[in-house]
Amino acid sequence: MERKIIQSEIEQLHRFVCKHYVEFYDVQLELVDHLANDIEAQWKEAPALSFEVALDCAFKKFGIFGFSDVVEQKVNKLSSAYYKKSFHLLLDFFTIPKILISTALFLVIYILFQYLSDTYALYANEIIKGVFMGLLVVQFIQLIRKKIKRKKESQTQWLLDSVLYSLEIWPYYLMFTLVFHSFLLARTSTILLVLQAFFVTAIILYVYVLKVIVVPLIEKDLEQQKKQLTLIG
């Protein structure tokens, strides 16, 4: 009779995967399924092989870094897919009349920067930094509270949830870098002022697209994935 993995061994595989630092539940399920199939394939060739020995052989096939390479590949692949999707959604955003709205936003920001650099030459840089830092602090607090809330609600960590968090947070990191390395309004040329206004406009629009379009889309995908994998698990 063909030997099959039993429920207690499935639970042991779950503990084994968690012990090897795989924190995402969806990746855990996939690895448990992979290990179970590998072990059963070994039992077809050697039915007397113990579960522990078969598991050790299956795990060694992942190489010296174990599951870390698999997790990293999945994070990169999923992140890349959603970054591309968010970029395409941003491009789709630039349609009339949204182009007119975007242009108006750029002009407002440019005029504001020019006014500050002309009127408050000695303090323009500090004013811009203060405003942006205030916005960044508020956004970071909101993101962290949101992440903690999602984790409490699900009691598990999901790969897509981690991708969603990184996707939400990196525009603010970019804005932070821009504020502290590019805003020198007291002594910038018109070209640099235009570039600064353009980058700030682009970041604002991207954050808007993220919050209004991309994040709800990913959250919907995440909820569907949770329902499917919870039933499987």
Side-chain angles (χ1 to χ4, degrees):
M1 183 176 178
E2 191 173 301
R3 189 175 174 186
K4 293 290 184 180
I5 291 281
I6 59 176
Q7 183 59 37
S8 62
E9 292 169 336
I10 290 291
E11 294 171 358
Q12 189 172 338
L13 289 177
H14 272 285
R15 291 193 295 269
F16 179 84
V17 170
C18 292
K19 182 180 177 182
H20 287 81
Y21 311 106
V22 180
E23 56 183 343
F24 305 117
Y25 181 67
D26 43 343
V27 181
Q28 291 174 10
L29 290 178
E30 187 173 337
L31 287 172
V32 166
D33 183 64
H34 177 87
L35 291 171
N37 289 334
D38 190 294
I39 291 171
E40 288 180 349
Q42 293 183 60
W43 283 342
K44 287 182 180 180
E45 302 295 329
L49 197 65
S50 70
F51 172 80
E52 289 74 15
V53 172
L55 173 57
D56 184 60
C57 291
F59 180 61
K60 285 181 179 179
K61 295 176 183 178
F62 285 90
I64 59 174
F65 296 107
F67 299 133
S68 60
D69 284 343
V70 175
V71 175
E72 184 178 358
Q73 289 172 7
K74 290 188 174 298
V75 170
N76 292 337
K77 183 178 180 179
L78 197 59
S79 297
S80 178
Y82 277 100
Y83 275 117
K84 288 179 180 178
K85 182 177 292 187
S86 64
F87 180 71
H88 288 310
L89 288 171
L90 177 62
L91 293 180
D92 292 340
F93 183 80
F94 291 103
T95 57
I96 297 174
K98 293 176 182 177
I99 292 179
L100 298 177
I101 297 174
S102 303
T103 303
L105 176 63
F106 165 77
L107 291 175
V108 169
I109 293 173
Y110 173 76
I111 293 171
L112 176 62
F113 285 179
Q114 189 175 48
Y115 172 78
L116 288 174
S117 63
D118 291 341
T119 309
Y120 302 98
L122 295 177
Y123 307 105
N125 200 25
E126 285 70 24
I127 292 172
I128 294 294
K129 285 181 180 179
V131 172
F132 273 81
M133 280 304 298
L135 293 173
L136 286 170
V137 169
V138 171
Q139 291 297 329
F140 274 126
I141 292 174
Q142 289 181 348
L143 286 175
I144 292 172
R145 290 177 63 183
K146 186 177 179 181
K147 183 179 182 180
I148 293 173
K149 181 181 178 181
R150 286 201 299 256
K151 188 174 181 180
K152 285 183 178 179
E153 289 176 349
S154 65
Q155 299 297 319
T156 52
Q157 295 190 60
W158 299 78
L159 178 58
L160 190 53
D161 203 4
S162 177
V163 170
L164 173 60
Y165 179 73
S166 65
L167 191 68
E168 287 184 285
I169 205 169
W170 85 264
Y172 301 110
Y173 173 77
L174 179 60
M175 194 181 296
F176 177 86
T177 304
L178 185 66
V179 167
F180 277 89
H181 295 283
S182 298
F183 280 122
L184 301 172
L185 299 181
R187 51 182 182 277
T188 52
S189 65
T190 301
I191 294 177
L192 287 178
L193 204 62
V194 169
L195 288 175
Q196 289 171 355
F198 172 79
F199 281 122
V200 171
T201 303
I203 292 174
I204 291 174
L205 291 175
Y206 187 64
V207 170
Y208 173 79
V209 171
L210 273 179
K211 285 185 170 294
V212 176
I213 302 175
V214 179
V215 170
L217 176 66
I218 298 177
E219 288 178 340
K220 183 179 179 180
D221 291 346
L222 180 59
E223 288 305 314
Q224 290 177 348
Q225 185 188 56
K226 285 180 179 180
K227 291 178 181 179
Q228 293 173 354
L229 293 184
T230 300
L231 290 174
I232 295 174

